[in-house]
Amino acid sequence: MKTKIIGTGHYLPEKVVTNDDLAQIMDTSDEWIRKRTGIATRHISVDESTTDLSIKASLNAIENAGVDPKDIDLIIVATVSGDYLYPNTACQVQKAIGAEKARTIEINIGCAGCIYSMDIADSYIRSGKSKLALVMGAETLSKMMDWTDRRTAVLFGDGAGAFILKAVDDNEEGGIEAIMARGDGERGDTLTAGGRPLDNPWGHLDSPAGKYTYMDGQEVFKFACRKVPESIHEILDPLGVKPDDIDKYFLHQANIRILETVAKFLKQPMEKFPVNMSEVGNISAASIPTIMDMYNKKGLLKKGEKYILCGFGAGLTYATAYVIW
Ligand code: COA
C-alpha cells in the first residue's frame, strides 16, 4: 500500500491585522516588514482557540475528500499552541468529528509539524495499521508572542490546515513517493519558548526558556536555506528525479527571501514557488496544508503534477515530501 492525499482543508480566523496596525503598537513599518519578510497581513484569533481552528479545518478537509469521519482511524495534530497539555488536540478533534475508532496523536515539532505528521501517517498506512488518516497543523501563535518584540511578533499568524490521507494500491497513480524528516537538536536554542518548569513541594527549576517566542532570525534563516535544498536532493536524487521535473515547491511560508534563496540554489523560477505568506504570515505547522488547500480549491493542483512539500523550524527540524498529485 501507499499513501495518497485525497482532501485538503483550512480555516483562518476572521480578524486581519495589517502591518500598519502593528506599527500602531510597536516600532515597525509596513515597508520594513514587506521588504524583509514578504508579509503584508496575518489573521489573528480574538475568540477561537487552537481546538476551534483544528475542528473547522478538519471538517473542511473531510468535506473536500468526501469521506465519512467514522472511517478515519488516525488523527495527528501538529501544534505548539494546544489549549491543554491534556487531553491533546487530536482527542478534541476526534470528539467533534465523531471519528470513534481513531488513534489520536498530538506532536510538537514547530513549523515542520505537518510534514512530520504526514511522515508518521505514511508509516502507519504502509504498515497496514491505518486506512484513512487526518493530519493537520493548527496554531494560535498570537498567544506565543511578546507583542512588544518587533523581531518576532510581526512574523506570525493564527490558522489551521489539514490533509486527508488514504491507503491506496501501489499501482494507483499519484501519492507520496518519498518523505523524510529530521531534527538538529544542537541548534535548539535558536528558536524557543518555555514550557512548564519543574515545581513541586521538593523542588523547583527555572524555565530554560522565556514564556514567549525567542528567535535568532538570521540563524534560522541560514539553517532553512541550507537544509531545504539538501533535503530535496536527498529524496529526489535516489529516484532520478531532477528539480526541473518538479511542478511546484510548497515550502513553509516563513520569509519570501528564504523561498528566493532556495529557488536560486535549485536553479528554479520563482513561479514554481507558491506564496501566501503575504496574506497569512507564518502559521507554523498550518502553513503547508493551508497554502495547498488554497491552490486546490482554485483548481491549481493538477493530476499527475509533481510537488515538493517542505517544512522547517523549531527544534531545529525539517521534513520534506515528494508527492505526485
Ligand atoms: N521592524 C523594523 N525593524 C526591525 C524589525 C521590525 N519588525 N525587526 C527587526 N528590525 C531591525 C533590527 O532591530 C535591526 O536593526 P539594527 O540594525 O538597528 O539593530 C535590523 O532591523 C536588522 O535586523 P535583522 O534581525 O538583522 O533582520 P533580518 O534581515 O535578519 O530579518 C527576520 C529578520 C526575522 C525577518 C529574518 O531573519 C528571518 O525571516 N529569519 C528566518 C525566520 C524564520 O524563518 N522563522 C521561522 C522558522 S519557523
Side-chain angles (χ1 to χ4, degrees):
M1 298 305 272
K2 66 174 179 177
T3 308
K4 192 167 178 177
I5 302 174
I6 61 157
T8 60
H10 82 279
Y11 178 78
L12 296 165
E14 202 180 320
K15 184 169 181 61
V16 174
V17 173
T18 66
N19 293 341
D20 285 334
D21 293 334
L22 293 178
Q24 306 278 321
I25 58 170
M26 66 182 81
D27 182 16
T28 190
S29 66
D30 179 52
E31 192 200 349
W32 192 96
I33 302 171
R34 274 181 203 262
K35 206 160 137 211
R36 304 304 293 164
T37 72
I39 297 167
T41 63
R42 70 285 294 141
H43 292 247
I44 299 289
S45 176
V46 288
D47 57 3
E48 290 167 304
S49 64
T50 296
T51 304
D52 295 329
L53 306 190
S54 307
I55 293 167
K56 287 177 182 171
S58 301
L59 291 171
N60 194 234
I62 286 165
E63 188 189 348
N64 180 249
V67 296
D68 184 340
K70 288 199 170 44
D71 294 332
I72 292 173
D73 53 25
L74 173 65
I75 300 173
I76 310 179
V77 181
T79 184
V80 295
S81 54
D83 303 316
Y84 299 87
L85 288 175
Y86 39 85
N88 76 23
T89 314
C91 290
Q92 320 249 45
V93 169
Q94 175 196 35
K95 182 171 71 171
I97 66 175
E100 292 148 20
K101 61 177 186 187
R103 291 176 180 82
T104 47
I105 303 172
E106 176 176 313
I107 63 168
N108 172 334
I109 313 270
C111 304
C114 197
I115 309 305
Y116 249 83
S117 303
M118 196 180 257
D119 184 41
I120 297 168
D122 183 55
S123 303
Y124 269 96
I125 286 173
R126 285 178 186 276
S127 74
K129 280 188 168 180
S130 169
K131 300 264 178 284
L132 192 64
L134 164 64
V135 305
M136 62 182 310
E139 305 285 9
T140 47
L141 295 172
S142 54
K143 70 188 179 200
M144 312 288 291
M145 297 299 131
D146 170 356
W147 286 96
T148 64
D149 179 7
R150 66 180 184 174
R151 289 164 308 158
T152 51
V154 303
L155 306 173
F156 297 93
D158 299 335
F163 291 119
I164 303 289
L165 306 181
K166 188 180 176 198
V168 296
D169 280 338
D170 283 330
N171 55 12
E172 189 162 318
E173 276 176 45
I176 297 176
E177 300 293 310
I179 187 160
M180 64 79 73
R182 198 156 306 144
D184 180 359
E186 286 291 333
R187 277 183 258 207
D189 60 359
T190 55
L191 180 47
T192 61
R196 193 185 293 193
L198 181 82
D199 188 20
N200 63 42
W202 300 275
H204 172 85
L205 282 177
D206 289 334
S207 180
K211 184 174 174 196
Y212 297 113
T213 301
Y214 161 81
M215 184 170 70
D216 180 339
Q218 289 189 2
E219 281 305 310
V220 178
F221 192 98
K222 282 188 258 173
F223 170 82
C225 292
R226 197 167 45 248
K227 291 299 179 188
V228 173
E230 241 178 67
S231 68
I232 291 171
H233 277 296
E234 183 178 325
I235 61 169
L236 291 186
D237 292 355
L239 301 173
V241 180
K242 302 270 175 272
D244 284 354
D245 301 331
I246 299 298
D247 295 291
K248 287 188 181 66
Y249 290 85
F250 288 98
L251 303 194
H252 170 48
Q253 302 286 300
N255 186 317
I256 191 72
R257 292 185 290 133
I258 294 177
L259 271 56
E260 288 165 354
T261 308
V262 171
K264 209 178 283 174
F265 271 138
L266 296 172
K267 300 190 177 61
Q268 297 300 302
M270 267 310 277
E271 295 73 57
K272 284 191 179 184
F273 290 72
V275 176
N276 73 349
M277 71 186 77
S278 48
E279 197 185 324
V280 306
N282 180 344
I283 46 175
S284 190
S287 166
I288 294 170
T290 296
I291 189 165
M292 287 196 74
D293 185 46
M294 288 175 169
Y295 267 62
N296 194 15
K297 303 280 166 66
K298 285 183 196 149
L300 297 173
L301 303 184
K302 306 263 191 269
K303 199 166 181 237
E305 281 194 342
K306 299 183 171 86
Y307 303 142
I308 287 289
L309 286 51
C310 176
F312 50 85
L316 296 176
T317 56
Y318 52 107
T320 300
Y322 165 44
V323 169
I324 299 183
W325 198 251

